[in-house]
Amino acid sequence: MALPPESELYAVADRLADAARAATLRHFRKRDLGVQNKDAANFDPVTRADREAESAMRAILAEDRPEDGVLGEEEAPRASRSGLTWVLDPVDGTRAFVAGAPSWGVLIALDAGDGPILGVIDQPYIGERFWGGLGRAELVRDKRSTALQVRPCARLADATLLTTFPEIGTAQERAAFEAVNGLCRLTRYGLDCYGYALLALGQVDLVIEAGLAPYDIQAPIAVIEAAGGIVTDWQGNPAHRGGCAIAAGDPWLHEAALNVLNGV
């Protein structure tokens, strides 16, 4: 499959992120978010911002890339006729959004069939846009660009770990996570997709998650890999289909954490 020019794909992704940024900021920290619960057994919220942002992005894709597929969190998937699929999470971290905490983000990825080739993690409220893939690895803020580069950290004892546990994951997954957590220097909780962005920026060393959908992880994979990091599932296999994921800046740290997760 021949890809369109990189500049064309960047421009489309930028338009998507701009549209989602406008749609989400209309509602962030407002009193009437129109919160609904998608899970009767637990609290899995969706807001007007989620729905409006995804609709805005889909409208752009219908105009600019009508042959491409779309996989999003809030609407039915659209099959691809081009071999390319845009993978969208209009608000990753809706619980944070509802709470007024600026750790949520907009996730945009482009999947060529075997995983993401381009990803964007956008935090609209603080104006940070993280890019990865097709030769690009940068943070853009206030029209200034900073190169993304993971940092070396070979030992769990020196590592800073980010996660959404204990909020997400089964009891068994939680126990495996806690085994790694007990060996790390510092752990911070509940940062959603922003944790992956910080790893790509070289601020932290490890992100461990469970219960992911493809739209939760594909953009982070592209951004982190472009910054020199590694993202797999808990068995060391590709993670772009969702489930459990482990992201690390250092391959030695990744191997060490995998061994602990699997009781090796």
Side-chain angles (χ1 to χ4, degrees):
M1 176 182 59
L3 290 174
E6 294 171 3
S7 59
E8 178 182 330
L9 297 177
Y10 290 147
V12 173
D14 224 14
R15 284 193 67 197
L16 297 178
D18 284 347
R21 183 177 284 195
T24 53
L25 289 180
R26 277 197 296 271
H27 298 287
F28 186 53
R29 293 184 176 172
K30 300 297 191 295
R31 294 300 178 96
D32 184 12
L33 295 176
V35 179
Q36 296 180 339
N37 187 11
K38 297 189 289 185
D39 185 348
N42 298 289
F43 183 54
D44 184 13
V46 61
T47 71
R48 291 191 182 94
D50 297 80
R51 296 192 174 102
E52 290 178 14
E54 183 163 328
S55 293
M57 289 190 285
R58 283 176 177 266
I60 290 169
L61 291 173
E63 179 181 343
D64 288 2
R65 303 288 306 171
E67 299 297 310
D68 295 351
V70 183
L71 175 63
E73 182 173 11
E74 306 304 338
E75 299 183 27
R78 184 179 84 190
S80 175
R81 297 188 295 272
S82 66
L84 298 174
T85 298
W86 295 88
V87 184
L88 311 174
D89 192 344
V91 179
D92 182 85
T94 301
R95 293 173 180 83
F97 189 96
V98 169
S103 58
W104 56 278
V106 178
L107 299 181
I108 300 163
L110 182 60
D111 189 334
D114 295 318
I117 59 172
L118 174 65
V120 179
I121 302 173
D122 191 62
Q123 209 310 307
Y125 189 71
I126 60 178
E128 292 184 339
R129 186 165 298 173
F130 298 81
W131 288 88
L134 299 178
R136 193 172 185 181
E138 64 177 344
L139 162 62
V140 178
R141 180 176 183 178
D142 296 329
K143 297 183 180 180
R144 293 193 298 268
S145 175
T146 302
L148 297 178
Q149 179 64 56
V150 297
R151 70 185 184 188
C153 177
R155 302 194 317 146
L156 287 167
D158 298 324
T160 297
L161 165 65
L162 299 184
T163 187
T164 56
F165 281 101
E167 187 174 83
I168 303 297
T170 66
Q172 183 177 4
E173 291 163 348
R174 171 79 184 280
F177 164 78
E178 290 295 352
V180 179
N181 178 35
L183 299 174
C184 290
R185 182 178 65 177
L186 172 65
T187 302
R188 304 300 298 164
Y189 298 89
L191 289 175
D192 300 297
C193 65
Y194 198 64
Y196 294 106
L198 291 175
L199 193 151
L201 193 58
Q203 296 295 304
V204 304
D205 308 294
L206 197 60
V207 180
I208 298 177
E209 301 275 64
L212 302 175
Y215 43 74
D216 295 314
I217 192 62
Q218 289 217 15
I221 289 173
V223 172
I224 289 171
E225 289 183 347
I230 181 171
V231 186
T232 69
D233 69 9
W234 287 12
Q235 285 70 49
N237 301 312
H240 62 278
R241 292 184 177 87
C244 295
I246 174 171
D250 190 309
W252 293 102
L253 185 68
H254 179 263
E255 182 178 1
L258 274 185
N259 287 339
V260 176
L261 284 172
N262 291 286
V264 176

